[in-house]
Amino acid sequence: MATPFTLIRPADRELAHRGIRVLVGGPEGANRGRSADVEARVDGFLAYARTVGLDIHRQVLALENTDEATAPSRIAGMCLWVLSPGYTAMLFGPGQSDFPETAPATTAALIAALDDARTAGVVLVQAMLEPSDAAGKTVFSQAGLTQLATLTYMERKPPLHPPAFALPAGITLEPYSAATHAHFHQAITESYRETLDCPALSGMRDVEDVLEGHK
């Protein structure tokens, strides 16, 4: 049976920008009436990408196949993957709670993006979803990912006057350098022992790759 989608990687700026519009605004043709809002979000995302050096061409676009040879190709779903030091990558797709119609196309794009990341040497891929996003969890699960942990973020305002602080006797602070590399390697290795901070990550990557991520 023929696949309903054609998967492509954007080679030019225009197609990459179309993919980002789908990421923030849903499948092409679904955001009529709110194009100004979508374009503002796209501009914000592209500005952020330029600031942090994010390569927006690392996408897989799922184009809807049509029986009409002259019909324009519509992007029905997509996946953007962001490469990070230490052979890791973060996956992004259209929000399934807002755009559930993208699910089949986004799943196909995710699977292809995982192949691209694997070819690039990536050993750990991650995605972050709202705990209530059941549709998103289904899409990522169908692409082969498993739920690792639920993250809880806490924040507080800094005090007006920083508290007095002094290191205990016999303890010093050392910055990372080639000379202290072995100490950092040992410390990070030991930090995984009996950890309660996402224990499922333990052993997934070589410690040298973890160090690259920290750096």
Side-chain angles (χ1 to χ4, degrees):
M1 184 174 65
T3 176
F5 308 109
T6 297
L7 302 176
I8 64 172
R9 282 76 173 169
D12 59 72
R13 178 180 175 182
E14 180 182 353
L15 193 53
H17 283 199
R18 283 176 61 189
I20 298 302
R21 287 188 188 93
V22 172
L23 175 67
V24 303
E28 290 184 326
N31 50 31
R32 295 187 181 93
R34 50 191 295 267
S35 58
D37 173 60
V38 170
E39 289 304 317
R41 294 173 65 189
V42 169
D43 289 343
F45 186 95
L46 295 177
Y48 168 77
R50 287 192 295 270
T51 299
V52 301
L54 188 156
D55 184 0
I56 65 168
H57 291 84
R58 285 198 179 99
Q59 301 180 37
V60 177
L61 308 179
L63 274 60
E64 212 169 48
N65 291 338
T66 175
D67 293 332
E68 301 177 37
T70 59
S73 297
R74 172 179 175 269
I75 301 176
M78 61 84 68
C79 176
L80 170 71
W81 61 284
V82 178
L83 186 63
S84 299
Y87 299 106
T88 65
M90 185 70 73
L91 303 176
F92 299 91
Q96 297 305 300
S97 295
D98 295 326
F99 311 109
E101 67 272 32
T102 68
T106 295
T107 300
L110 278 169
I111 293 171
L114 289 171
D115 287 339
D116 290 351
R118 199 175 291 115
T119 300
V122 170
V123 296
L124 176 66
V125 295
Q126 304 175 77
M128 295 181 65
L129 304 172
E130 291 292 336
S132 60
D133 188 2
K137 293 177 184 177
T138 298
V139 166
F140 281 96
S141 174
Q142 289 176 342
L145 277 74
T146 57
Q147 185 171 348
L148 197 66
T150 299
L151 305 182
T152 301
Y153 290 89
M154 298 185 292
E155 62 181 38
R156 59 164 293 179
K157 294 181 178 179
L160 292 177
H161 303 288
F165 174 74
L167 287 171
I171 294 180
T172 59
L173 298 179
E174 294 185 25
Y176 176 83
S177 68
T180 60
H181 179 87
H183 296 302
F184 276 75
H185 187 288
Q186 180 182 2
I188 289 175
T189 300
E190 291 294 323
S191 76
Y192 278 96
R193 295 181 61 177
E194 299 183 15
T195 180
L196 298 180
D197 179 16
C198 204
L201 279 175
S202 299
M204 279 195 171
R205 287 190 296 159
D206 186 273
V207 178
E208 289 296 331
D209 293 338
V210 176
L211 274 165
E212 285 299 316
H214 281 296
K215 288 193 285 185

